[in-house]
Every structure is written in C-alpha cells, then in structure tokens.
Amino acid sequence: MGTIITNIKQLNLKGSYTYADYLLWQFKDRVELIKGKIFKMSPAPSRNHQTISWDLIREIDRVFKNKSCNMFAAPFDVRLINFKESTSDNQIITVVQPDLCVICDEKKLDDKGCIGAPDLIIEILSPGNSKKEMDIKYDLYEENGVQEYWIVNPIIQTISIFVLQNDKYIGIKPLIIDSKLQSPTFPDLKFAVKKIFKT
C-alpha cells in the first residue's frame, strides 16, 4: 500500500504517476492524469460555465432519461485504457474528469467511475484550459476511441462537434447561437444552440 498524499506539493509535478497513485491523493486540488502526467484543473468553474453545463444536462437528460445510456457530470473519473495492457490500477496512466459524458455500455461503469471510452464527451472551455481541451484532450479522446467530442466555447458562443471516422476525428461546421444542434451519433439529441447560451 502506498503513502496517502494530503498536499499536492508532496508530488513531483514533472513525474509520472498511475491511477493507483491517484487513488492515494487526498488533497483539495482537482487534477487529471494524462499519460502519467499531472494536469491541475482550473479553480471552481465560473457561474456562466455552471449555467451552460446545467442547460446541457437538461437537454441531454431529456433524451437519455429512460434509455440504457447514462450521463455523468464532473467530478466523475474516466479511466482511459489501452486494452492491450492490463486494466489494473497500477497500469492505468490516464484519468480525466470531462464536464459531461454519456456512456452506453454499462460494463464500462463501476463504483470508481468509467473504465474505457465514453460514447460522448463534452468539455466547456474556461480561461486557462483551452489548450488542454482543444489540443491535448482532442488527441487523447481521438486515440482512445471516444465516438463524439464537443468543445463548447462560452466566450464566442460556439459548439464544435467532432465525430470519429476511421479512427480520426472529422469536424462539422461550428455551431453558432442561431444554429440547431443534432448529434451525429445520437440523432434524437437535438436542440437550438441558443438554449445553451443565454445572451
């Protein structure tokens, strides 16, 4: 059994860690583990970020409420794994907390969260996390087989949707405030973008 860590300063932020290490971290800072590296998360999301998240939850829940797919909101651990390797805690090196995710395969769910790729991940940009969501997580979700990825930009009020085709993301035209959104993966998931961005 490893040592319980109660202060993030006890860690080497340039070191490499596993999910087994992550389970021993009991400090207040929220972090994600991406390919073994620690990424500190932004402080508590802004009120606008929270409002957008709840508006998205309402639209998504309306579609999935009585279906086999499950929706979860952060903080919720998603362990992304290479199925060629063992799925033991000491070999998992990526744990993320998407703003929202939809998982249709109940075998991927356990008491710790999700193990494997969700079907849909939604990330809402905040100051300081744009590079991570638009670059690092884009690549991460693509290579781990997340079928559909939305990037929600509250500043310019757009939603960008990427769908996996032949193991690569294909982007559709960015949706603006006057657009109507329809998920390519879940056609019943559709709504006016202006419902998400209150002007």
Side-chain angles (χ1 to χ4, degrees):
M1 182 77 178
T3 304
I4 299 291
I5 303 294
T6 56
N7 190 316
I8 195 169
K9 292 179 180 176
Q10 294 174 260
L11 300 174
N12 174 3
L13 297 183
K14 294 185 179 175
S16 290
Y17 296 93
T18 68
Y19 181 60
D21 299 316
Y22 175 94
L23 291 173
L24 298 171
W25 300 344
Q26 297 182 5
F27 41 76
K28 290 182 181 176
D29 306 76
R30 284 183 56 212
V31 298
E32 293 178 305
L33 196 60
I34 299 178
K35 297 185 177 179
K37 300 300 179 189
I38 296 171
F39 284 78
K40 288 180 79 174
M41 298 180 74
S42 302
S46 69
R47 182 170 63 89
N48 187 41
H49 184 290
Q50 291 280 22
T51 300
I52 289 169
S53 180
W54 275 105
D55 287 338
L56 283 164
I57 287 169
R58 286 185 193 98
E59 294 300 324
I60 295 168
D61 185 59
R62 182 179 51 75
V63 175
F64 293 113
K65 187 171 185 178
N66 295 310
K67 297 192 178 165
S68 59
C69 297
N70 295 278
M71 177 184 55
F72 298 93
F76 177 77
D77 284 345
V78 173
R79 291 158 281 159
L80 296 174
I81 56 175
N82 179 347
F83 282 101
K84 295 175 190 168
E85 305 289 336
S86 165
T87 58
S88 67
D89 291 350
N90 63 2
Q91 291 190 304
I92 295 170
I93 57 172
T94 298
V95 189
V96 292
Q97 293 187 356
D99 286 305
L100 298 169
C101 62
V102 173
I103 298 139
C104 296
D105 182 354
E106 290 202 10
K107 292 196 254 355
K108 292 182 178 180
L109 297 172
D110 61 20
D111 289 340
K112 296 176 184 175
C114 174
I115 183 160
D119 298 270
L120 168 64
I121 284 182
I122 301 171
E123 296 282 12
I124 303 167
L125 299 183
S126 294
N129 78 349
S130 297
K131 177 184 175 186
K132 184 169 67 167
E133 316 302 15
M134 297 182 75
D135 183 22
I136 297 169
K137 283 190 171 179
Y138 177 100
D139 291 341
L140 183 72
Y141 295 158
E142 180 182 69
E143 69 189 42
N144 280 275
V146 175
Q147 184 59 39
E148 188 168 326
Y149 177 36
W150 299 5
I151 299 176
V152 179
N153 189 327
I155 303 298
I156 58 173
Q157 297 186 322
T158 61
I159 300 176
S160 298
I161 297 178
F162 304 93
V163 183
L164 208 58
Q165 292 181 6
N166 300 317
D167 300 325
K168 289 288 179 190
Y169 276 142
I170 304 297
I172 64 173
K173 180 181 176 182
L175 302 170
I176 60 171
I177 195 86
D178 297 322
S179 302
K180 298 242 189 276
L181 181 151
Q182 182 171 24
S183 163
T185 308
F186 303 105
D188 290 342
L189 178 53
K190 51 188 174 183
F191 54 86
V193 172
K194 65 185 175 186
K195 287 186 172 184
I196 304 305
F197 300 115
K198 305 289 193 294
T199 53

